[in-house]
């Protein structure tokens, strides 16, 4: 009798694999590892020894190339793990030596090593190999590999694998499925807003006060004890650890924090004190010191049920968390970027205890390694552990342990607002072993910049224009300027971008004309533009503070402020004169009420400083005056000789007319550049024409509409000393690019300016920051922030005395590179102001500023 029943299929077995891990497939040749990898993982995640053998030998079965092939395999695996990529190694891996190297690589990169064993009968493996004509193995290979596999099965966890999945037989292999699990520390989907609280150390009363000040509503049990706190706006509290020890009410703090975490109103990471208390509560031998005795005594008065809850709570705490898409990292003792989101004992140890130099101080305590001073990560790292007198940002990190239990304060950071909120300690609850040090990490954002911040090829991420690349040679040129000539980089918060010229005009006698600028903005969907008078001076950035203390507090530099050029150099070599100009600006800003209105003790202004000769006197003498002098000396004599020849009857009329035109062009050239020169003595003769308020404390104002800026500037100019004013108003006219009459009025205004000897005008979108609807900057791309339209006579200075006679050739000028440069530099300038407003560290602001200076060394026609 034949049994017609069929065996039930093996149940599907889910194999959990952590999303960042090194998966090592283990099995004899022919066990189906490659098929398993193709079925369950992306092709890019799998690194195969056969494939690497083919790369180095053009033959995947050439066993003589195995040494080189595994060198390649290990190199690729290392690069993927360093980049934070899930990686699967497809090789036999039946020998302990092969696995040992891979486990070590996982440890080196702080990821979990996971073994998936395909334990398939040797007969099946041999049969599969027989059906492959390209793989004919000696008969002893599979039995040998099977013996090695059998010896390995029981010891894989001892070798260091954190998870071991063994699939026995073909059916289990076929039925298995991979389930990708997020790391416990990956909470990137939580975006806040958050209130991050520093070390509490049993100060329950201060914690209650702080939570109430942050806007939380406390919930109490029938005994009046706080057991939860929720924010009406849905904010989440985050605790950086060290809830326990030293203070008066460790159980009260734990009851409140555990209740908040359990209700979903808070998250918490462990501190070293939780780690030690948890080990003591689990019956492990620990030294009762550093305030642990207070927790032990206080918990003795609690119920066993409560103590069990505390043990479970502390056991489940995760060393650190990634939050807000990875832009925020919270841990107890700080964490370098290379450890963010990683999982290993080393990472947990650093998150709990930090790193030490191996030395001890005069109090017998370990000296902490200043990791925050070298931090260059994108994520803000918020931590505690080392008490500091006040919480301040250092290189995109901040320590919130302000020593509440030692009589200091309990501090919280509102995120993303970056606002600090604190409450003073009610008393000194525990005498510190050593005093809190003012030079502890975070006490001052003053670390010098590092060459590695700017050297070599760089890519800067900008919010408004994506990634902006800086070539290595341009960075080197900028480094030369920055290191030898520029101002103190702590002051250098912004460099102005270059400005794109208008498209070349086809009008008779014109190289540039306003119509081209109006048409360009209309094409980009910009309806309203503002035309601003282009001043006869040089671009200047002005940083002015209410007093020296305000500047020192914000920028770490004493003094009245600074005035610098587009290349970051001091505009005026005379420090006394610079101070006098700044004093006039500061006085006018006080009178105009700008400091109060903008809630700032300092202002950053974009301006023109006149006359041009104030900065470019040597250039005028060497380049422009020399041309005028040569023409003045040669052309009259040439004309006199031609006229004498004509008087003798020679046919020189055409040549004489040409020389007369050249003489007229030379006179026009001299008249043009002389308009930019006038004598100055001290403040007398100096004119400063601000046209934009770039930034104030906590605010990037450059993105505000231009009419708002011009209103501020008008008030500033009006508040200047009327007897001897130095502040100069910027003329302006708003134009509707869809209205022909408005365009005609704008053109007429430009003609009036230039006819009176003015340089021309700059046309800007009235709304300031604008993205195009089509064309221009590309769909959705940035629109040019300004287009300069220079007058006919000013262009004579730029292109030469007789340029109007060569307009056909000049109209062939290429503007694409200049326009691209203007947009990139504009985006970098906005990025620097955004980072400055957000209170980001100096190196982050300086990264964007330096990139602007580097781009200035790109080869582009300087006449554009």
């Amino acid at each position: 009798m034949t049994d017609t029943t069929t065996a039930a299929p093996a149940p599907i077995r889910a194999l959990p694999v952590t999303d960042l891990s090194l998966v090592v497939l283990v099995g004899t040749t022919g066990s189906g590892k490659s098929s398993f990898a193709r079925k369950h993982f992306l092709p890019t995640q799998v690194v195969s020894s056969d494939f690497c053998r083919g790369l180095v030998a053009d033959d995947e079965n050439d066993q003589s190339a195995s040494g080189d092939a595994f060198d390649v395999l290990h190199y690729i695996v290392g690069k993927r793990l360093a980049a934070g990529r899930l990686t699967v190694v497809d090789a036999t891996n039946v020998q302990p030596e092969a696995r040992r190297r891979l486990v070590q690589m996982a440890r080196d990169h702080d990821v979990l090593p996971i073994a998936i064993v395909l334990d398939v009968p040797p007969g099946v493996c041999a049969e599969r190999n027989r059906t492959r004509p390209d793989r004919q193995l000696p008969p002893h290979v599979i039995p040998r590999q099977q013996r090695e596999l059998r010896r390995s099965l029981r010891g894989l966890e001892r070798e260091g694998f954190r998870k071991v999945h063994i699939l026995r037989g073909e059916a289990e292999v076929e039925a298995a499925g991979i389930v990708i699990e997020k790391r416990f520390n990956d909470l990137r989907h939580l975006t806040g807003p958050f209130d991050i609280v520093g070390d509490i150390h049993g100060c329950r009363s201060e914690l209650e006060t702080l939570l109430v000040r942050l806007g939380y509503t406390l919930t109490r049990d029938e005994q009046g004890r706080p057991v939860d706190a929720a924010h009406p706006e849905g904010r989440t509290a985050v605790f950086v650890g060290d809830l326990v020890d030293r203070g008066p009410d460790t159980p009260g703090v734990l009851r409140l924090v555990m209740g908040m975490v359990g209700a979903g109103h808070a998250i918490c990471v462990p501190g070293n004190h939780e780690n030690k208390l948890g080990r003591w509560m689990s019956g492990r031998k620990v030294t009762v010191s550093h305030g642990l005795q207070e927790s032990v005594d206080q918990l003795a008065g609690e119920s066993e049920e409560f103590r069990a809850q505390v043990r479970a709570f502390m056991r489940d705490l995760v060393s650190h968390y990634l939050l807000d898409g990875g832009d925020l990292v919270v841990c107890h003792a700080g964490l370098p970027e290379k450890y963010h989101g990683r999982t290993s004992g080393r990472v947990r140890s650093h998150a709990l205890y930090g790193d030490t130099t191996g030395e001890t101080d005069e109090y017998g305590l370990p000296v902490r390694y200043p990791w925050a001073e070298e931090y260059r990560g994108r994520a803000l790292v918020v931590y505690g552990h080392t008490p500091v007198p006040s919480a301040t940002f250092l290189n995109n990190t901040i320590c919130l342990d302000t020593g509440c239990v030692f009589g200091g304060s309990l501090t919280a950071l509102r995120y993303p607002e970056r606002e600090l909120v604190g409450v003073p300690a009610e008393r000194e609850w525990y005498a510190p072993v050593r005093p809190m040090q003012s030079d502890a990490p975070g006490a001052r954002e003053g670390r010098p910049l590092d060459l590695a911040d700017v050297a070599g090829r760089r890519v800067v991420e900008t919010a408004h224009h994506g990634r902006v690349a800086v070539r290595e040679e341009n960075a080197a040129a900028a480094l030369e300027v920055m290191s030898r000539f520029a101002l103190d980089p702590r002051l250098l918060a912004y460099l102005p971008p270059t400005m794109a010229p208008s498209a070349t005009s086809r009008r008779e006698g014109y190289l540039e004309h306003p119509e081209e600028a109006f048409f360009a903005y209309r094409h980009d969907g910009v309806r309203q533009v503002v035309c601003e008078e282009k001043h006869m001076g040089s671009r200047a950035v002005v940083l002015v503070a209410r007093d020296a203390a305000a500047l020192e507090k914000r920028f770490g530099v004493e003094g009245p402020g600074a005035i610098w050029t587009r290349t970051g150099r001091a505009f005026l070599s005379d420090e006394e004169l610079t101070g006098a100009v700044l004093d006039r600006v500061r006085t006018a800003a006080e009178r105009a009420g700008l400091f109060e209105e903008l809630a700032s003790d300092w202002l950053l202004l974009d301006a023109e400083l006149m006359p041009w000769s104030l900065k470019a006197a040597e250039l005028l003498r060497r380049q422009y005056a020399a041309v005028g002098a040569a023409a003045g000396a040669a052309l009259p004599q040439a004309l006199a000789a031609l006229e004498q020849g004509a008087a003798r009857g020679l046919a020189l009329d055409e040549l004489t007319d040409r020389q007369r035109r050249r003489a007229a062009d030379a006179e026009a050239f001299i008249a043009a550049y002389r308009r930019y020169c006038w004598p100055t003595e001290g403040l007398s003769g100096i004119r400063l024409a601000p046209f934009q308020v770039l930034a104030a404390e906590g605010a990037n104002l450059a993105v505000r509409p231009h009419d708002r800026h011009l209103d501020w500037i008008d008030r500033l100019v009006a508040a200047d000393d009327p007897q001897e004013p130095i502040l100069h108003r910027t003329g302006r006219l708003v134009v509707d690019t869809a209205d022909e009459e408005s365009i005609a009025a704008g053109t007429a205004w430009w003609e009036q300016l230039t006819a009176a000897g003015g340089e021309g005008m700059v046309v800007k979108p009235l709304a300031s920051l604008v993205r195009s609807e089509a064309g221009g900057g590309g769909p959705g791309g940035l629109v040019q922030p300004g287009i300069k339209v220079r007058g006919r006579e000013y262009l004579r200075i730029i292109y030469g005395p007789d340029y109007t006679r060569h307009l056909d050739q000049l109209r062939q000028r290429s503007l694409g590179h200049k326009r691209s440069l203007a947009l990139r530099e504009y985006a970098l300038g906005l990025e620097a102001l955004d980072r400055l407003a957000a209170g980001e560290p100096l190196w982050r602001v300086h990264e964007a500023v330096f990139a602007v200076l580097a781009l200035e060394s790109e080869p582009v026609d300087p006449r554009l």
Side-chain angles (χ1 to χ4, degrees):
M1 183 174 178
T2 304
D3 186 357
T4 58
T5 60
T6 57
I12 294 178
R13 178 179 172 188
L15 309 181
V17 169
T18 308
D19 58 354
L20 176 52
S21 57
L22 177 60
V23 179
V24 178
L25 300 182
V26 182
T28 60
T29 300
S31 59
K33 298 182 301 301
S34 297
S35 299
F36 184 88
R38 282 193 300 270
K39 179 179 178 181
H40 298 290
F41 298 98
L42 296 175
T44 52
Q45 295 173 331
V46 180
V47 186
S48 163
S49 60
D50 287 346
F51 178 75
C52 292
R53 199 176 287 111
L55 285 177
V56 299
D58 293 328
D59 182 357
E60 293 187 355
N61 297 305
D62 185 353
Q63 297 301 314
S64 67
S66 291
D68 291 336
F70 276 95
D71 286 344
V72 172
L73 182 145
H74 293 143
Y75 180 82
I76 296 172
V77 168
K79 288 296 183 182
R80 287 188 58 84
L81 295 182
R85 310 286 185 191
L86 172 65
T87 303
V88 180
V89 175
D90 175 13
T92 57
N93 295 315
V94 293
Q95 296 176 327
E97 296 78 11
R99 297 190 298 271
R100 190 177 300 120
R101 173 73 181 274
L102 295 172
V103 169
Q104 186 58 50
M105 292 185 72
R107 288 173 175 165
D108 291 343
H109 292 90
D110 301 288
V111 302
L112 297 179
I114 298 173
I116 300 179
V117 180
L118 278 64
D119 186 8
V120 177
V124 173
C125 298
E127 181 59 31
R128 289 174 177 172
N129 280 293
R130 275 195 294 271
T131 62
R132 293 183 56 180
D134 61 333
R135 178 168 298 179
Q136 298 301 315
L137 301 176
H140 68 276
V141 171
I142 291 178
R144 186 196 68 212
Q145 292 179 352
Q146 279 286 328
R147 290 192 297 272
E148 292 170 334
L149 178 63
R150 298 263 78 77
R151 287 194 294 266
S152 300
L153 289 180
R154 293 185 178 180
L156 291 175
E157 291 184 351
R158 289 196 301 273
E159 291 179 11
F161 286 101
R162 297 290 292 275
K163 296 179 183 178
V164 177
H165 304 303
I166 300 177
L167 302 175
R168 302 184 186 278
E170 293 178 88
E172 282 196 14
V173 172
E174 184 62 29
I178 298 295
V179 177
I180 301 297
E181 296 182 331
K182 289 178 62 175
R183 288 155 282 165
F184 292 138
N185 56 36
D186 185 359
L187 298 183
R188 287 176 291 180
H189 62 285
L190 298 182
T191 58
F194 301 110
D195 298 305
I196 310 169
V197 181
D199 299 35
I200 303 168
H201 282 299
C203 298
R204 188 262 313 152
S205 180
E206 288 89 341
L207 175 59
E208 287 188 45
T209 304
L210 178 61
L211 289 173
V212 170
R213 182 167 295 181
L214 289 167
Y216 288 78
T217 301
L218 295 172
T219 300
R220 300 182 184 274
D221 63 12
E222 62 279 359
Q223 300 178 50
R225 301 175 299 187
V227 293
D228 191 11
H231 199 285
E233 298 174 5
R235 299 180 70 92
T236 301
V238 184
F239 297 97
V240 302
D242 277 6
L243 311 173
V244 305
D245 293 355
R246 295 175 174 158
D249 192 1
T250 283
V253 171
L254 287 169
R255 186 175 288 108
L256 175 54
V257 172
M258 285 165 32
M260 293 178 69
V261 172
H265 299 145
I267 56 178
C268 182
V269 297
N272 56 301
H273 284 262
E274 279 79 47
N275 186 51
K276 190 173 185 180
L277 176 60
R279 287 186 287 126
W280 179 85
M281 294 184 74
S282 298
R284 298 171 65 180
K285 185 177 180 180
V286 298
T287 301
V288 179
S289 61
H290 300 302
L292 176 59
Q293 187 64 56
E294 282 75 8
S295 293
V296 171
D297 294 342
Q298 292 162 19
L299 287 168
E302 299 292 331
S303 67
E304 177 54 36
E305 179 185 5
F306 179 77
R307 290 195 294 270
Q309 291 171 352
V310 170
R311 282 195 297 272
F313 173 74
M314 291 191 293
R315 183 182 62 243
D316 294 338
L317 292 176
V318 177
S319 67
H320 72 285
Y321 284 119
L322 276 69
L323 300 161
D324 192 21
D327 288 340
L328 174 64
V329 171
V330 177
C331 54
H332 178 63
L335 207 61
E337 186 178 31
K338 65 181 180 179
Y339 292 155
H340 294 179
R342 303 289 171 140
T343 48
S344 70
R346 175 169 55 183
V347 172
R348 181 174 176 82
S349 176
H350 198 294
L352 287 173
Y353 301 99
D355 198 5
T356 63
T357 64
E359 304 169 298
T360 55
D361 61 16
E362 64 269 31
Y363 303 99
L365 298 175
V367 177
R368 304 292 176 191
Y369 185 81
W371 68 273
E373 293 187 4
E374 298 179 358
Y375 182 72
R376 288 296 185 269
R378 176 179 63 88
L380 170 66
V381 179
V382 184
Y383 65 105
H385 189 53
T386 303
V388 293
S390 61
T392 54
F393 289 93
L394 174 66
N395 290 332
N396 216 21
T397 74
I398 186 169
C399 176
L400 295 183
D401 183 0
T402 47
C404 181
V405 76
F406 302 128
S409 61
L410 185 60
T411 300
L413 172 71
R414 291 183 186 269
Y415 177 94
E417 298 89 343
R418 290 189 176 228
E419 174 189 348
L420 291 167
V421 179
V423 297
E426 295 180 359
R427 51 165 285 193
E428 182 186 278
W429 299 103
Y430 193 91
V433 176
R434 63 182 173 196
M436 290 188 287
Q437 301 175 4
S438 60
D439 60 348
R444 154 70 70 186
E445 166 65 88
R447 183 186 184 280
L449 296 170
D450 194 313
L451 178 64
D453 295 333
V454 293
R457 185 180 185 276
R458 313 290 297 176
V459 175
V460 182
E461 291 281 355
T462 68
H464 301 290
H465 200 59
R467 296 159 62 90
V468 177
V470 176
R471 291 199 292 262
E472 183 175 1
E473 58 270 26
N474 294 343
L479 186 62
E480 172 78 6
V481 173
M482 194 68 74
S483 59
R484 295 183 59 191
F485 308 113
L487 287 175
D488 188 321
R490 289 174 291 177
L491 294 172
L492 210 58
Y494 176 81
L495 287 179
T498 190
M499 189 170 294
S502 65
T504 303
S505 174
R506 292 297 169 182
R507 278 181 171 246
E508 182 65 32
Y510 289 91
L511 187 62
E512 295 181 6
H513 192 273
E515 287 180 349
E516 306 300 334
F518 297 144
F519 294 161
Y521 280 126
R522 183 166 69 188
H523 181 257
D524 281 337
V526 180
R527 180 74 181 262
Q528 283 194 308
V529 296
V530 60
C531 306
E532 295 182 9
E533 171 190 2
K534 200 169 189 305
H535 299 288
M536 301 164 67
S538 300
R539 193 79 169 265
V541 180
V542 180
L543 174 62
V544 61
R546 266 183 160 169
D547 51 47
L551 199 72
E552 200 279 335
K553 178 182 177 182
R554 178 60 184 84
F555 295 95
V557 179
E558 294 183 354
I563 306 173
W564 60 87
T565 68
R566 284 196 62 240
T567 56
R569 309 174 195 226
F571 197 105
L572 301 169
S573 57
D574 186 335
E575 292 185 8
E576 186 175 341
L577 181 58
T578 299
V581 174
L582 289 169
D583 186 60
R584 293 291 292 274
V585 177
R586 176 174 49 256
T587 302
E590 287 278 17
R591 291 173 179 167
L594 293 185
F595 289 121
E596 288 80 6
E597 180 178 333
L598 298 173
S600 178
D601 289 333
W602 57 272
L603 300 172
L604 191 66
L605 308 175
D606 209 349
E608 284 276 320
L609 192 55
M610 300 171 279
W612 192 21
S613 53
L614 190 65
K615 188 188 84 169
E618 186 62 27
L619 176 68
L620 285 164
R621 279 194 295 270
R622 287 187 293 102
Q623 186 165 322
Y624 299 109
V627 172
L635 289 175
Q637 295 183 28
L639 277 171
L642 289 170
E643 289 169 353
Q644 290 175 5
R648 292 197 297 269
L650 297 176
L652 298 173
D653 291 349
E654 184 180 348
L655 182 58
T656 302
D657 288 344
R658 189 187 314 144
Q659 293 305 312
R660 284 176 181 153
R661 290 195 299 270
R662 291 184 65 196
D665 289 340
E667 290 176 5
F669 174 79
I670 293 169
Y673 77 72
R674 279 182 175 170
R675 295 189 186 101
Y676 292 81
C677 313
W678 59 79
T680 63
E681 183 175 352
L683 286 179
S684 179
I686 289 180
R687 297 289 181 269
L688 180 69
F691 52 84
Q692 193 171 23
V693 184
L694 294 165
E697 184 63 49
N700 174 5
L701 302 174
V703 296
R704 305 279 181 90
H706 280 293
D707 54 355
R708 191 77 188 93
H709 286 277
L710 293 170
D711 175 63
W712 286 327
I713 297 303
D714 285 349
R715 287 163 50 194
L716 184 71
V717 172
D720 194 16
D721 184 352
Q723 301 301 319
E724 191 180 3
I726 69 166
L727 297 181
H728 187 79
R729 184 178 184 272
T730 296
R732 81 295 304 257
L733 180 73
V734 175
V735 169
D736 184 340
T737 62
D739 185 325
E740 294 301 328
E741 290 186 7
S742 185
I743 288 176
T747 301
W749 188 70
W750 175 80
E751 290 171 344
Q752 292 169 8
L753 285 175
T754 56
E759 180 176 330
M761 69 184 184
V762 178
V763 185
K764 305 175 180 178
L766 185 63
S768 190
L769 177 64
V770 177
R771 309 192 82 81
S772 64
E773 294 179 1
L782 277 181
V783 165
Q784 289 290 350
I787 296 177
K788 58 186 177 183
V789 187
R790 297 166 289 184
R792 279 166 48 93
E793 292 310 308
Y794 175 78
L795 288 173
R796 198 180 297 279
I797 303 174
I798 302 302
Y799 286 101
D802 58 350
Y803 88 101
T804 55
R805 310 191 189 285
H806 309 286
L807 287 179
D808 287 341
Q809 293 95 315
L810 291 176
R811 285 184 176 124
Q812 306 306 312
R813 60 184 187 166
S814 176
L815 303 179
H817 190 182
K818 179 76 168 185
R819 289 170 173 168
S820 168
L821 192 62
L823 283 177
R824 285 179 283 152
E825 291 185 4
Y826 174 54
L828 287 166
L830 291 180
E831 186 67 22
L833 296 176
D834 280 342
R835 295 177 182 185
L836 179 71
E840 294 197 32
L842 172 64
W843 75 268
R844 287 272 295 163
V845 177
H846 195 260
E847 178 186 44
V849 173
F850 185 90
V852 174
L853 185 59
L855 292 184
E856 277 296 295
S857 62
E858 286 195 5
V860 66
D861 187 345
R863 301 172 299 177
L864 295 177

